[in-house]
Amino acid sequence: MKPDSVRDTWTNRTGEYSPAYYAHYGPNDTSAVIRDILSSRLPRDAAVLELGCGSGRHLKHLADGGFENLSGVDINAEAFDTMRESYPALAADGTFYCEPIEEIVEDFDDGQFDAVYSVETLQHLHPDVEWVFEEVARITDDTLVTAEIEGPIRESSSPDRDVNYVDNDTPLYYRDWGSVFTSLGLVEVDVARGDRDTTRTFRASD
């Protein structure tokens, strides 16, 4: 599958796994994990960026915990319509970018964000845009958190052991995020393996 095709599956996503789908369920256990990690490491005025923020359920949980400087990137315009309906204060107070990650990340300054995190988002980036990971490391001043699926959680229909499909046309690429980001100079400080995701916390090297 080509990078443009992968992007299109999320740009036009409706129904299951769409922004409205996640807004319906609201913050979850992963939201709490992200907030606990960032709360233990950063002040409430820290600049925080979510990659693949969707309608903002994880950011909303951070806002409820007192975080004030929140930003998000998402490819799907519906995400921000849903955010304005479901979390109007977050939509008004945060800074948001409706673009593919690979088309916005280079615009950010070195260390622009005290914390950057992703929840089941980086796993969908096509291998042709893996250069994005170096940019993610570059813009992270202190803490990076990845909550991604790193291996099969059920039998895969794909003959390729490094990719599975959420449905017929939405690929999920398995990567060892510990290796990815330590190779880019970050230091892994914690890892927690759940039933679905592996959550890794990194700090920017001194």
Side-chain angles (χ1 to χ4, degrees):
M1 179 173 282
K2 297 179 180 179
D4 287 349
S5 299
V6 175
R7 287 196 296 266
D8 287 347
T9 65
W10 294 106
T11 301
N12 305 309
R13 191 89 191 179
T14 60
E16 191 174 26
Y17 308 125
S18 69
Y21 171 91
Y22 286 116
H24 171 75
Y25 288 101
N28 62 0
D29 290 345
T30 302
S31 310
V33 169
I34 297 292
R35 192 169 85 176
D36 287 347
I37 291 169
L38 299 189
S39 295
S40 70
R41 298 182 59 85
L42 297 167
R44 293 303 191 272
D45 62 353
V48 179
L49 173 70
E50 180 175 5
L51 301 170
C53 65
S55 53
R57 63 175 179 163
H58 304 305
L59 289 170
K60 172 64 163 58
H61 198 62
L62 288 176
D64 288 347
F67 282 90
E68 306 165 353
N69 187 358
L70 301 174
S71 299
V73 175
D74 202 274
I75 196 172
N76 190 329
E78 180 196 340
F80 302 106
D81 293 336
T82 303
M83 183 186 295
R84 285 187 285 270
E85 296 171 3
S86 300
Y87 312 122
L90 172 67
D93 295 340
T95 301
F96 298 100
Y97 308 87
C98 185
E99 295 187 57
I101 294 170
E102 60 268 34
E103 292 183 11
I104 185 65
V105 69
E106 291 181 298
D107 294 342
F108 296 133
D109 293 334
D110 292 358
Q112 181 167 334
F113 300 97
D114 297 298
V116 177
Y117 72 92
S118 70
V119 179
E120 296 189 16
T121 294
L122 296 180
Q123 65 193 29
H124 295 295
L125 291 181
H126 191 276
D128 286 357
V129 296
E130 288 184 346
W131 57 265
V132 164
F133 308 147
E134 184 172 1
E135 291 296 301
V136 170
R138 179 185 64 81
I139 67 174
T140 302
D141 190 60
D142 186 279
T143 302
L144 171 68
V145 181
T146 60
E148 306 282 346
I149 299 173
E150 296 191 356
I153 57 176
R154 54 182 173 269
E155 186 175 346
S156 172
S157 60
S158 172
D160 186 341
R161 295 177 61 186
D162 294 326
V163 65
N164 199 353
Y165 288 85
V166 176
D167 48 35
N168 290 332
D169 56 4
T170 307
L172 185 166
Y173 299 98
Y174 299 127
R175 298 177 174 106
D176 179 343
W177 295 103
S179 296
V180 169
F181 285 110
T182 56
S183 73
L184 294 172
L186 276 67
V187 178
E188 187 173 82
V189 296
D190 191 43
V191 55
R193 292 180 173 84
D195 294 336
R196 180 180 177 89
D197 296 336
T198 297
T199 302
R200 297 181 186 271
T201 305
F202 305 87
R203 65 171 174 82
S205 57
D206 298 329

